[in-house]
């Protein structure tokens, strides 16, 4: 399989099929592991880095959980392909720099992706569609256990798993849920949610854009502390808090529909009309308008467009995706044309 | 014929068929006349006002130019119908106040409309589609000559026709051309056109909105001076100056197409998308978006919508028209819904 083939397929986590997928886009469990006897990657010498890469590659390719996978060395991956992988959430932006000795392995459904030699020797990430954080963690845990039989992970009885950055030490588990909260943003409640969450030791940040200015009303909630608690505690806490946010978003949507149906409907259809008509469009505006249409689908107002199509468009309209679709490098202006073209045609414009 | 019937028909001047109708909406000649031996209307006693109304009515109904006409006394006309007549450009806003003794006669094609007892005893208005000011004046002149054989008009060999307001004295002819100048507005040249025109003794004003802030880029050019010049001079001067404005607008459209085709196309299609989708829309926004679509038609970008439809929508979306269409009084908010509904359906939205 080539990277290009991914363009024509839907990542599993974008299918919009998981629980509460009217509000939760995806759930992600990420586990950091380091191999005992080696320095952390950023402190390691070249020979160690090379050895680490080899050890990890061998262990991963032997794992029963890594069937139908793609293995990529970052140094053999073009800049545009690296950006493409970032946009698909398969690697972190940090994994694109200093490419030597860094690698990625992921399965064709894009559920499991493992970065080798990012900040930690291994970062195991499992993505699920919808509100499925327990399942994401379960899968990550299985892979971790399996790899633990092949590699000796750095572990301290006192501190737990050791990681390059102390904030990850302990379980080294980061559980995140990506939420779409347009009603809480529209009614100015999102600030309260932010502060309530930080008091509970979690973080919430705009997925596109920064802080409360999040573009398109997408927010990622994750645990901040990974030390001194069990994995199950972390997953349960996230689950319980995200459930509360979901309930609040849902009841606010109900109030909006009861009190401001016309204004909300107008905003949704205008967004649809603009995306169906524009010939030039920036990424920020696209995300904003897609968010409104997604709300329209959730509220039963927009019926001729599916949630997976909207999810797909969030990814397809990003710079590297546009350039891979076009098969060549595009300037920012050219991307704005191409982006408008793709969205327009996908949602039924001319 | 009832006023309601007008709703279903297109006024002649909105057909978008006259010369240069890509830039000129309509041409209007307006002649003010007063009947000798009576005070001007605003100084007249009730008995005189009544006599004036009777005299004018009799003369007009006998005129060979006033076949298939509608005669309306303003006092028998509802507020909403008066507003409706203003929106159709058949009467001035001033003609709606102090309705006693005021009347209107107009032909079914809405080319000729004559106000009785506005500021002057008679105001003869002829509207033509497109750039047709000479023809508008010719028709007004014929009616004026015919009425002159039935009524003695106040005339001074020194000053010409006498009028209530001295600025109209002389020929008492006001010739106006309504222009659509989006390219001159977009390229910030409209200010220059304004000042050039006022130096030539003409006035230009935004048709919707005020001054250079004209909503929807519609401007009306008319002569300011009606004294000391012949009617033909006035018509010829307007013709020559409007021709220059048309040429400048056209060459600027050419430059826009050559240099900014994508941006202009984007703006046009976005306007179309919004009108086709919105559920709530103000009058100002509607005018602005219709203006962009009209430019799109002129530039050959929008092909599935005709100019007469756009012209019709400018009128249909105004408050009294919306209320007559709905058959009841509507609040401003209700009108915003109704307006969106009508435009959306007329241009092919759902």
């Amino acid at each position: 399989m080539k990277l290009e083939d991914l363009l024509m397929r839907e990542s599993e986590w974008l299918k919009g099929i998981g629980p509460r997928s009217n509000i939760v886009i995806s759930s992600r469990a990420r586990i950091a592991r380091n191999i005992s006897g080696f320095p952390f990657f950023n402190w390691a010498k070249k020979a160690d880095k090379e050895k680490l890469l080899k050890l990890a590659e061998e262990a991963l390719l032997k794992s029963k959980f890594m069937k139908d996978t793609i293995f990529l060395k970052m140094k053999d991956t073009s800049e545009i392909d690296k950006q493409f992988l970032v946009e698909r959430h398969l690697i972190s932006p940090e994994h694109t720099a200093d490419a030597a000795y860094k690698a990625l392995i992921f399965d064709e459904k894009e559920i499991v992706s493992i970065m080798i030699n990012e900040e930690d020797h291994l970062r195991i990430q499992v993505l699920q569609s919808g509100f499925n954080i327990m399942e994401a963690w379960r899968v990550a845990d299985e892979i971790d256990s399996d790899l633990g039989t092949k590699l000796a992970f750095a572990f301290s009885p006192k501190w737990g798993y050791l990681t390059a950055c102390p904030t990850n030490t302990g379980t080294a588990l980061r559980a995140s849920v990506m939420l779409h909260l347009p009603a809480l943003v529209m009614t100015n409640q999102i600030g309260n949610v932010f502060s309530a969450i930080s008091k509970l030791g979690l973080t919430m940040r705009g997925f596109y854009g920064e802080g409360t200015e999040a573009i398109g009303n997408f927010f990622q909630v994750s645990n901040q502390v990974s030390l001194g608690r069990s994995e199950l505690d972390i997953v349960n806490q996230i689950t319980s808090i995200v459930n509360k946010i979901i309930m609040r978003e849902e009841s606010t949507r109900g109030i909006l529909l009861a009190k401001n149906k016309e204004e909300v409907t107008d905003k949704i259809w205008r967004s649809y009309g603009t995306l169906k008509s524009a010939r030039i469009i920036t990424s920020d505006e696209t995300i904003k308008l897609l968010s409104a249409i997604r709300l329209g689908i959730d509220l039963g107002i927009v019926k001729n467009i599916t949630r997976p199509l909207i999810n797909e468009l969030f990814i397809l309209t990003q710079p590297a995706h546009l350039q891979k679709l076009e098969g060549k490098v595009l300037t920012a202006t050219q991307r704005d044309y191409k982006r408008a073209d793709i969205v327009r045609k996908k949602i039924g414009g001319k």
Side-chain angles (χ1 to χ4, degrees), chain A:
Chain A
M1 196 175 115
K2 289 180 304 174
L3 275 188
E4 278 66 24
D5 299 338
L6 296 177
L7 275 175
M8 300 302 127
R9 299 182 323 123
E10 223 166 51
S11 318
E12 191 69 20
W13 66 277
L14 284 175
K15 287 197 171 161
I17 47 170
R20 315 309 299 260
S21 53
N22 59 332
I23 292 175
V24 183
I25 311 294
S26 59
S27 304
R28 191 186 69 157
R30 195 206 68 197
I31 293 176
R33 292 291 181 261
N34 288 278
I35 300 172
S36 187
F38 288 88
F40 293 127
F41 179 72
N42 289 322
W43 285 264
K45 299 236 163 61
K46 283 186 186 178
D48 276 342
K49 288 181 176 177
E50 197 163 353
K51 254 187 237 167
L52 280 165
L53 175 57
K54 211 174 174 76
L55 274 174
E57 180 179 353
E58 280 171 11
L60 284 165
L61 292 180
K62 266 188 243 158
S63 167
K64 60 180 170 183
F65 294 102
M66 301 311 285
K67 307 251 182 270
D68 301 320
T69 54
I70 298 163
F71 184 88
L72 294 173
K73 291 191 173 165
M74 287 302 111
K75 71 173 169 60
D76 304 330
T77 307
S78 70
E79 286 308 315
I80 218 160
D81 281 350
K82 284 190 273 190
Q83 190 52 39
F84 177 80
L85 296 168
V86 171
E87 291 172 5
R88 294 187 84 80
H89 305 197
L90 292 169
I91 62 173
S92 63
E94 292 73 19
H95 207 50
T96 63
D98 302 320
Y101 315 112
K102 290 188 199 291
L104 164 72
I105 186 166
F106 65 100
D107 75 305
E108 291 188 353
K109 290 185 165 179
E110 298 172 71
I111 296 174
V112 179
S113 63
I114 300 175
M115 288 185 283
I116 303 172
N117 288 338
E118 205 242 29
E119 191 180 274
D120 295 298
H121 299 158
L122 289 177
R123 289 232 167 151
I124 304 162
Q125 171 185 278
V126 178
L127 260 175
Q128 293 281 342
S129 182
F131 193 19
N132 240 338
I133 188 68
M134 185 62 88
E135 174 65 7
W137 172 66
R138 196 194 57 74
V139 174
D141 187 51
E142 271 189 0
I143 296 170
D144 172 45
S145 304
D146 181 57
L147 291 177
T149 64
K150 298 174 174 68
L151 297 164
F153 290 144
F155 182 86
S156 135
K158 183 170 179 196
W159 300 111
Y161 290 100
L162 302 177
T163 53
C165 177
T167 57
N168 294 320
T169 298
T171 59
L173 169 67
R174 177 71 44 102
S176 320
V177 179
M178 207 217 294
L179 298 154
H180 184 227
L181 305 174
L184 292 177
V185 173
M186 259 186 243
T187 55
N188 296 317
Q189 294 180 69
I190 200 74
N192 295 343
V193 177
F194 259 85
S195 53
I197 278 186
S198 67
K199 280 177 201 148
L200 296 162
L202 300 184
T203 63
M204 174 154 146
R205 56 185 183 86
F207 189 77
Y208 301 100
E210 286 298 317
T212 46
E213 291 300 308
I215 298 160
N217 314 307
F218 291 100
F219 298 90
Q220 188 159 283
V221 174
S222 20
N223 62 310
Q224 205 158 17
V225 180
S226 117
L227 183 70
R229 319 163 59 193
S230 77
E231 285 87 346
L232 213 55
D233 274 355
I234 292 170
V235 170
N236 282 336
Q237 190 201 18
I238 286 266
T239 302
S240 136
I241 290 169
V242 166
N243 261 324
K244 287 195 183 106
I245 301 176
I246 291 173
M247 278 167 61
R248 186 139 167 203
E249 169 70 18
E250 266 191 343
S251 66
T252 309
R253 287 183 184 185
I255 294 167
L256 276 180
L257 265 192
K259 291 198 180 165
N260 303 90
K261 180 159 188 186
E262 288 82 2
E263 287 79 0
V264 172
T265 305
D266 180 58
K267 189 187 150 104
I268 288 165
W269 283 118
R270 280 172 178 254
S271 303
Y272 180 67
T274 301
L275 279 182
K276 215 172 146 176
S277 312
R279 261 59 183 173
I280 306 177
I281 197 161
T282 63
S283 175
D284 282 8
E285 188 183 3
T286 304
I287 291 168
K288 224 176 74 187
L289 298 174
L290 286 174
S291 161
I293 298 179
R294 195 179 205 281
L295 177 63
I297 297 169
D298 297 342
L299 298 178
I301 293 167
V302 175
K303 296 196 176 94
N304 54 334
I305 298 188
T306 64
R307 216 176 270 146
L309 174 60
I310 296 295
N311 288 351
E312 187 193 358
L313 285 174
F314 279 110
I315 304 289
L316 280 186
T317 54
Q318 289 182 48
H321 276 75
L322 292 173
Q323 296 178 77
K324 285 193 81 75
L325 280 169
E326 188 72 12
K328 62 178 190 194
V329 174
L330 299 173
T331 64
T333 308
Q334 288 170 330
R335 293 201 298 269
D336 289 350
Y337 296 158
K338 179 76 183 167
R339 183 180 295 112
D341 246 32
I342 285 178
V343 179
R344 201 170 67 245
K345 282 162 191 164
K346 286 260 183 191
I347 67 168
K350 275 171 208 159

